Amino acid sequence: MARFTTDGQTASSRPLFKDKPKKKQADRASDTPSAVQLGVHGRYQIKSGRLSGEYVARAFPKPPTHARGLIAEATGATEEAAIAALHDVIDAREAQRHKDRRVDDGTGFTVPNIDEYREALDQVTLSRPQRAMLSALALSGDEGLTDPQMASAAGYKSKTSANRAFAAAGLLIAAYLAIDAATGAQEDEVTGTNILGFRGSPQTNETPGSRILYPELREVLRSAG
């Protein structure tokens, strides 16, 4: 009968099983990410920590939002230095954007630039009718849409509902861009509409002019498809 043994030796008397020498633990402190710290600067969420041996701070859209794209980042000798550097980057970015805004000749309103509109539309949550309305207005160009046309494009039964939804979309964008929605607003208009565009010349004393989007907003909506 064959015999089995648990001797753990091979025919050449070498151990068949033996403890492997423990690998020397390398010092990986510089490669191990540290705990991520969260903060806020303006309308952005700040995430900071150590990554690959250096301190990194990054800015992202502040929740709640559907977009999670990186806005800006900076590094520093310490975590505090990286955060301070990122604040400077964000502040410089915002200052340049404000500088790039133009004053509309017809309304006197300071219009956000293309990058601001694009970022805002990526972050705010608009309803399907609101987006349909804005898309239709973008395609209408300088002619714009009358109130009935605008309501029809968005699927609203009444002009009043369409205008309220239009104003609400403007308020969302104004809030994201930290713009005073009441600034430059026409007396007979609902607050928020001036963020998106203006009225054309009235057709009659009883019929208001068509709504026309600012060219900057039109370009963003058209490029988004």
Side-chain angles (χ1 to χ4, degrees):
M1 179 183 290
R3 297 178 58 195
F4 293 87
T5 177
T6 58
D7 197 18
Q9 299 284 329
T10 65
S12 59
S13 298
R14 290 178 300 183
L16 183 61
F17 302 109
K18 66 178 182 178
D19 293 336
K20 293 183 180 180
K22 292 183 179 181
K23 292 183 179 179
K24 194 174 182 180
Q25 292 295 325
D27 182 11
R28 296 182 178 273
S30 61
D31 295 326
T32 304
S34 64
V36 175
Q37 302 295 323
L38 297 179
V40 172
H41 186 67
R43 61 176 175 271
Y44 302 114
Q45 181 181 71
I46 306 300
K47 296 182 180 181
S48 61
R50 190 178 60 218
L51 181 64
S52 299
E54 65 179 355
Y55 290 98
V56 180
R58 292 171 174 169
F60 298 88
K62 190 191 301 182
T65 176
H66 295 298
R68 301 293 180 190
L70 176 66
I71 299 296
E73 76 171 34
T75 59
T78 64
E79 189 167 7
E80 292 74 14
I83 293 172
L86 180 61
H87 287 182
D88 290 341
V89 170
I90 293 173
D91 292 344
R93 179 175 178 270
E94 293 301 296
Q96 184 60 51
R97 284 187 165 189
H98 291 181
K99 185 178 178 181
D100 290 341
R101 292 177 181 177
R102 70 174 179 87
V103 177
D104 185 74
D105 294 334
T107 64
F109 179 72
T110 302
V111 182
N113 62 54
I114 291 174
D115 289 336
E116 289 182 292
Y117 274 129
R118 181 177 290 112
E119 182 179 318
L121 287 174
D122 284 341
Q123 309 310 323
V124 302
T125 302
L126 298 178
S127 67
R128 185 175 298 177
Q130 285 173 323
R131 288 198 174 273
M133 188 189 314
L134 290 176
S135 296
L137 282 164
L139 293 174
S140 69
D142 291 329
E143 292 186 7
L145 296 177
T146 63
D147 285 5
Q149 289 173 331
M150 208 167 67
S152 176
Y156 288 108
K157 294 182 178 180
S158 72
K159 298 178 292 184
T160 301
S161 296
N163 279 312
R164 285 176 179 170
F166 183 74
L171 288 174
L172 287 173
I173 292 174
Y176 181 80
L177 296 176
I179 295 175
D180 184 358
T183 302
Q186 296 174 308
E187 294 182 1
D188 57 344
E189 284 290 355
V190 180
T191 302
T193 59
N194 59 315
I195 306 298
L196 306 175
F198 55 93
R199 287 275 193 187
S201 300
Q203 298 176 0
T204 67
N205 292 333
E206 298 180 354
T207 305
S210 298
R211 288 205 182 276
I212 303 169
L213 295 184
Y214 295 122
E216 292 85 350
L217 180 54
R218 273 186 250 158
E219 181 172 335
V220 174
L221 291 165
R222 287 175 177 176
S223 63

